[in-house]
Amino acid sequence: MEKVGIVGVGQTIYERRKTDTFAELVFEACTSALADAGIGIQDIDNVVTVSNDFWDGRTISSMAIQDAAGAWEKDVSTVEGDGIFGALYGMMRTLSGSFDTTLIVSHVKGSEGNMNLITNAMFDPIYQRHLGVDATTSAALQARAYMEKTGATEEDFARVSVKNHGNGVNNPFAQIRKKISLEDVLNSRKISEPLKLYDCSPISDGAAAIVLSNEKGLARFKKDPVWILGVGHCSDSYSLGYRDLTFPRALQAAAGKAFASAGIKNPLKELDVAEIADAYSYMELIWYEGFGFAAEGAGADLIRSGATAMDGALPVNPSGGLLSAHPVLVAGLARIVEATLQLRGEAGDRQVKGAKKALAHGINGPCGQSHGVFVLGA
Amino acid sequence: MDVENMYYHGRINVPYKWYVGATGSRFLVGLRDGKEFWGITCPKCGKVYVPPLKTCPECFVPNEEWVRLADTGTVESFTVAHYSNGVSPSDIPYVLGLIKMDGADGSFLHYIGDADPADVKVGMRVKAVFADERTGNIMDIKHFAPVNE
Ligand SMILES: [Zn+2]
């Protein structure tokens, strides 16, 4: 396969109620990524924007921010879903032979809509939506089912939250930068049992952008790229109730593909850093199993062992993860930005020393229906 | 330059009328007219889906045979929700459950009522409680209530 490199990354600080418009957020992320790549918008051959109409509160939300993405007079295409799928699509366009360079940008202002109502609308309108189920209550159903199957406890979930919030303190882009204790999580307000306030990611505003190039396009850039070594994506069935919520077979398939093309046999040993979608604390444990970091049912053992802490065998979410900032739609692209910074040694206080291989992960749909996985290498 | 930050408050309010399909119609008519649960069977894997699906997501073939199911099941998972989003019940806390209906595969999403939320457990046996006035939608089931068998 022809190689694709990440040659520029940019992101805004993630905050609640940012005083930038959608277009201003997109412009900031795009211009940061271009400056990082050391090029101008004229060096970009095509643009992929990621957005969602319900989150933006308008139809054709993807068209509204094209000026801010520098997309005028360029080939533009759009993705509705997590930013990781925008990166995937951008990679395909870069490989198509039609374009040498691709700018991918994703934005959201979660604070301006109503997360619960917007995510309620993702459920089946005939049988489920009317009950009021949303991202958080469905996640709670998944968390409980997982506890029943594996014996994981609320304390295990809290361990994820403590770890990631602790890491988030070191990330100047994170929304919540506060060290918390196990007791803080366990005593936090009940939201939808077994999930409590600190098991849930915050609602964030922000944008992220990356620039991809094929080998031909690399002449335009001075810096060495971070290479995409492997990619996988896979979806599970839609209806809540008709899918095994306790094991992510779609993630297993996606990760399997990504690891195979990157030549990775033992991901826990061979990866140096992972940025994964911890929208709710418990998810990190289930995803451990999908990635094969832990055996099926043994996600809680891994967090207890400390292997995924900053000083462990595989630090997971040095950025603080989604628990420290959750710009929906942007989250997966932000994971790629973070992984890229790690591999360049530019991650500041959250740097994993000498990171050579990194994982970035994004999810879409109720309870992690679909998964996108990128393995990156310096 | 310091300026006051202005916000525009809006609301999207668009009516829809979704056809539920012949398969869905049969299920909803069963609930409304006879307080009956009807599931549909995949000819390949034999899974019984309730609410019914036109096609089996696992086998990618049309489901065929209708089967009458009991109105009882077992709680597979549940959550006690401590907030309302405006669509969910305003009377909080309320309990949302995934219920494996007897004779069906997969599980059915609905409320669990007539129970202290603290007493709801996975594995608990429940039975559908129907609304007195039924109009052919999912709220023709009020909730599922615990049963002692
Ligand atoms: Zn089947």
Side-chain angles (χ1 to χ4, degrees), chain A residues 68-369:
Chain A
W72 181 72
E73 228 177 26
K74 289 188 195 300
D75 187 295
V76 186
S77 196
T78 62
V79 167
E80 188 278 328
D82 183 68
I84 203 109
F85 300 101
L88 173 73
Y89 184 40
M91 185 194 81
M92 290 174 180
R93 288 167 73 86
T94 310
L95 285 168
S96 70
S98 302
F99 315 100
D100 293 332
T101 60
T102 305
L103 171 67
I104 300 135
V105 63
S106 179
H107 74 275
V108 81
K109 292 195 80 178
S111 70
E112 294 194 343
N114 180 318
M115 183 281 275
N116 298 102
L117 284 179
I118 291 167
T119 59
N120 170 243
M122 74 180 158
F123 289 93
D124 174 88
I126 315 298
Y127 305 119
Q128 300 189 329
R129 196 187 294 176
H130 194 83
L131 299 166
V133 61
D134 61 27
T136 301
T137 45
S138 60
L141 291 167
Q142 183 176 36
R144 173 93 58 196
Y146 179 73
M147 290 167 79
E148 284 292 325
K149 175 182 142 186
T150 66
T153 64
E154 292 185 43
E155 219 169 275
D156 293 320
F157 300 165
R159 285 186 175 94
V160 173
S161 187
V162 168
K163 170 179 74 71
N164 293 354
H165 278 104
N167 292 349
V169 172
N170 299 322
N171 180 5
F173 295 94
Q175 174 175 338
I176 300 175
R177 302 181 67 186
K178 192 171 98 174
K179 207 172 156 54
I180 56 172
S181 69
L182 219 54
E183 289 67 39
D184 290 336
V185 184
L186 293 170
N187 296 330
S188 64
R189 182 160 52 88
K190 288 175 181 171
I191 303 289
S192 188
E193 294 177 57
L195 302 179
K196 297 164 291 295
L197 182 66
Y198 285 131
D199 291 307
C200 304
S201 53
I203 291 166
S204 312
D205 300 349
I210 63 172
V211 179
L212 299 182
S213 175
N214 61 22
E215 288 172 285
K216 198 165 137 234
L218 282 179
R220 300 177 204 179
F221 306 94
K222 291 196 188 76
K223 262 196 235 176
D224 286 336
V226 160
W227 296 107
I228 299 173
L229 304 180
V231 173
H233 59 105
C234 188
S235 183
D236 207 327
S237 58
Y238 165 66
S239 290
L240 196 66
Y242 296 151
R243 178 182 1 138
D244 179 3
L245 293 174
T246 64
F247 186 79
R249 62 178 177 176
L251 175 57
Q252 188 177 46
K257 279 181 211 157
F259 293 156
S261 50
I264 288 175
K265 291 197 177 66
N266 183 340
L268 189 65
K269 281 214 173 102
E270 294 172 53
L271 291 169
D272 300 309
V273 57
E275 283 283 340
I276 72 176
D278 56 331
Y280 298 90
S281 58
Y282 76 90
M283 281 187 174
E284 189 167 304
L285 304 184
I286 303 192
W287 305 160
Y288 286 168
E289 298 174 23
F291 282 119
F293 300 162
E296 183 170 350
D301 295 338
L302 193 66
I303 187 79
R304 287 181 209 153
S305 76
T308 55
M310 279 307 278
D311 58 358
L314 175 60
V316 173
N317 287 327
S319 68
L322 277 53
L323 285 168
S324 300
H326 189 183
V328 178
L329 307 169
V330 179
L333 206 55
R335 306 277 73 67
I336 292 180
V337 171
E338 286 294 324
T340 301
L341 295 175
Q342 289 286 351
L343 294 169
R344 289 180 183 167
E346 295 173 2
D349 292 341
R350 61 196 186 285
Q351 181 68 45
V352 175
K353 269 200 201 100
K356 294 279 187 295
K357 275 186 189 162
L359 177 78
H361 168 233
I363 57 174
N364 203 33
C367 302
Q369 182 192 352

Side-chain angles (χ1 to χ4, degrees), chain A residues 17-85:
Chain A
R17 208 157 266 301
K18 274 179 96 70
T19 50
D20 303 83
T21 64
F22 296 142
E24 286 163 355
L25 291 176
V26 167
F27 186 77
E28 183 184 339
C30 287
T31 49
S32 310
L34 292 173
D36 182 57
I39 57 165
I41 191 69
Q42 71 282 354
D43 296 308
I44 295 295
D45 295 344
N46 84 111
V47 179
V48 172
T49 65
V50 179
S51 64
N52 172 287
D53 291 356
F54 261 54
W55 283 100
D56 275 13
R58 65 179 301 159
T59 54
I60 60 161
S61 56
S62 58
M63 311 297 282
I65 43 80
Q66 290 192 358
D67 293 359
W72 181 72
E73 228 177 26
K74 289 188 195 300
D75 187 295
V76 186
S77 196
T78 62
V79 167
E80 188 278 328
D82 183 68
I84 203 109
F85 300 101

